Structures are given as structure tokens and as C-alpha cells.
Amino acid sequence: MRQYSADLTPPWKKPKPVPEVAADAGLVVEELGTGFCGAVIRCEKTAQGPTVTLEDRFGKHRVFPMEPGGFLLEGKAVTLVRPASAAGASPVRRPSRTASGSVAVPGARARVARAGRIYVEGRHDAELVERVWGDDLRIEGVVVEYLEGIDDLPAIVAEFSPGPDARLGVLVDHLVPGSKESRIAARVTGEYALVVGHPYIDVWEAVKPSSVGIEAWPRVPRGQDWKTGVCGALGWPSNTGAAWQRILGSVRSYRDLEPALLGRVEELIDFVTT
């Protein structure tokens, strides 16, 4: 007589075992039930079972039970287990920070790009966003597109067709009430499209003068090219490209930027990743 297993489920229908991963400090995972994404801060042994504390890029902490298959790592389900070093309830070493102040994730791979996008008006603006928020954007899977001018924005938004799974964020220069820029922004802003801007004439001003090594950004008379005027007033060569590289090179982290720009970029990242 041939012996048969009690389990007659075809092999191709059997669920694959979920791999176990040590919850080491700095490991970035997503909790399957809530979608909360963060870096491991500590593991603890409780009466209800082991738990893990995650910290997101805004510094918010959440505690989750380490249930089988309860987390996603690079898009794949895993079971978190306490690392060998977590013998007690003491917190593990806190991870370092990125230039934006978020939790750094050494060796992390970029997440597959979201359908949502962030458009940034101005090449220098885009370079500054990459300088400070590049690591965060790659982990979040957010692609930044260069917007040459705000006049092109209505056509871009119409073609993009923002929706619940494809949000669109836009950062523009010198967005002040009553301006042409503010009227265009109002036309395209909606439930799934957000346009924000900083108050500066040029993004150069969003870099703190002390970081550049100057007392203040010069006032440039109306009618004169602002960047050229700044270079002349500071005694810099009239090569604005070289001047920008000097300014960009002085930016090491978010601490070198004015809050008016920091808040707007963080708002866009939060909007697109919601």
C-alpha cells in the first residue's frame, strides 16, 4: 500500500516560509498592519511577547509586537527576531542621522519609485533638495523632477493626472500672495496636488548667511539680475554658476537652511508619501 501524507495541498499552493531577520539597530522596516515605516530603536521582552520600537523620519516612535510575518523589508514579508545582543531590555545604539535630520540607514537600497512625484522649480533648488533630502527621498521611493518654470505647471499637472495613489507635490520660488505664481498654484492645487513655495527671491537666500561665511544676503536693486548683483556686492567673480557651487558646498545638513524652506520640503515629502 502506498502511504500518503495527510496534507494533500499541492506544493505550489503551500505558503512559503517567511524568513527571520534580526532586528538590529537602524534596520528600516514597514509594519504590515499600519504601514508605519521606521528604523529599529530597541527590542524588549514583555509578558505579552517580544516587541520592537520603530522611529520614523520625523522622530515619531511606535511599539509593535514581533509577530510572524508582521513586517516588510524591501517589500518582502519577514519575521523580526531579537538580535543576539538584545539579551536585556536596554535600548540598542541609536542610529546616525542623514543631512535632513532623519534616521540614517547604512547600506539601505532605494525603494521602488512611487507613482507620486515632487517637482522642483529651478535647477539650483533641485540640487539643494537632493543635497539635504536625497537619502530620505530614495528610501521613500520619491522621484524629484526638474520644473523649468511655473508657467509649464498647469500642463504638467493635467498630463500627470494626480490621484490617491499618485500624489503630486510642487516646490516653487518666491510664492507670495497676489503674484502670478500664487494664481497658477491656486489653479492646480487640489486633493492630490499640492503646490508650496518659499518666500525668497532665489533659493540662494534659503541658505543661512552664516553657513556661507557672510553677515547677510545683500539687497539688490530692482531691475538688476539678483544673482549677478549678489556676486558684485559680495566681491565674488561674476560667474553665478561658480558662486552657486560655493554656496551649495557650504550646506552640510538641514541646520544650514532657513526654516521657511525646511518646512515646505518636509510638507511635500509628507504629502506625497501619505
Side-chain angles (χ1 to χ4, degrees), residues 61-77:
H61 289 191
R62 292 280 298 274
V63 180
F64 299 101
M66 298 170 71
E67 297 178 346
F71 300 85
L72 292 178
L73 176 62
E74 298 182 359
K76 298 181 180 179

Side-chain angles (χ1 to χ4, degrees), residues 150 172 174-187 189:
I150 195 171
V172 300
H174 203 217
L175 190 63
V176 294
S179 63
K180 177 189 75 173
E181 291 80 4
S182 66
R183 291 191 292 270
I184 293 175
R187 282 172 51 195
T189 296

Side-chain angles (χ1 to χ4, degrees), residues 34 62 76 82 95 107 185 196 200 208 249 260:
T34 62
R62 292 280 298 274
K76 298 181 180 179
R82 300 175 73 218
V196 300
Y200 309 110
K208 292 180 178 179

Side-chain angles (χ1 to χ4, degrees), residues 19 33 78 83 85 130 142 156 159 162 194 207 213:
V78 298
S85 60
E130 164 62 26
V142 178
I156 289 173
E159 182 179 359
L194 175 65
V207 181

Side-chain angles (χ1 to χ4, degrees), residues 44-116:
E44 294 180 304
K45 186 176 181 180
T46 68
Q48 291 74 34
T51 64
V52 61
T53 300
L54 303 181
E55 181 183 58
D56 70 5
R57 61 189 178 85
F58 299 110
K60 183 178 180 181
H61 289 191
R62 292 280 298 274
V63 180
F64 299 101
M66 298 170 71
E67 297 178 346
F71 300 85
L72 292 178
L73 176 62
E74 298 182 359
K76 298 181 180 179
V78 298
T79 298
L80 290 185
V81 295
R82 300 175 73 218
S85 60
S90 58
V92 297
R93 181 176 59 85
R94 294 179 64 86
S96 59
R97 299 279 172 171
T98 66
S100 72
S102 301
V103 176
V105 188
R109 296 179 181 177
R111 181 178 294 181
V112 175
R114 297 173 184 265

Side-chain angles (χ1 to χ4, degrees), residues 8-178:
L8 299 180
T9 304
W12 59 87
K13 289 188 178 181
K14 292 182 179 180
K16 295 182 180 180
V18 178
E20 293 186 347
V21 176
D24 293 319
L27 180 72
V28 174
V29 294
E30 179 179 337
E31 201 278 325
L32 200 56
T34 62
F36 186 89
C37 183
V40 172
I41 296 300
R42 66 173 65 87
C43 296
E44 294 180 304
K45 186 176 181 180
T46 68
Q48 291 74 34
T51 64
V52 61
T53 300
L54 303 181
E55 181 183 58
D56 70 5
R57 61 189 178 85
F58 299 110
K60 183 178 180 181
H61 289 191
R62 292 280 298 274
V63 180
F64 299 101
M66 298 170 71
E67 297 178 346
F71 300 85
L72 292 178
L73 176 62
E74 298 182 359
K76 298 181 180 179
V78 298
T79 298
L80 290 185
V81 295
R82 300 175 73 218
S85 60
S90 58
V92 297
R93 181 176 59 85
R94 294 179 64 86
S96 59
R97 299 279 172 171
T98 66
S100 72
S102 301
V103 176
V105 188
R109 296 179 181 177
R111 181 178 294 181
V112 175
R114 297 173 184 265
R117 292 287 188 273
I118 291 178
Y119 275 78
V120 178
E121 183 189 16
R123 194 170 301 279
H124 292 176
D125 305 60
E127 290 177 352
L128 189 59
V129 169
E130 164 62 26
R131 180 85 168 192
V132 177
W133 289 274
D135 290 340
D136 303 63
L137 293 168
R138 280 182 284 276
I139 290 176
E140 293 291 348
V142 178
V143 175
V144 174
E145 303 275 3
Y146 166 54
L147 176 65
E148 188 171 355
I150 195 171
D151 291 333
D152 301 327
L153 189 56
I156 289 173
V157 174
E159 182 179 359
F160 187 86
S161 299
D165 298 321
R167 291 170 174 257
L168 180 63
V170 185
L171 177 69
V172 300
D173 278 338
H174 203 217
L175 190 63
V176 294

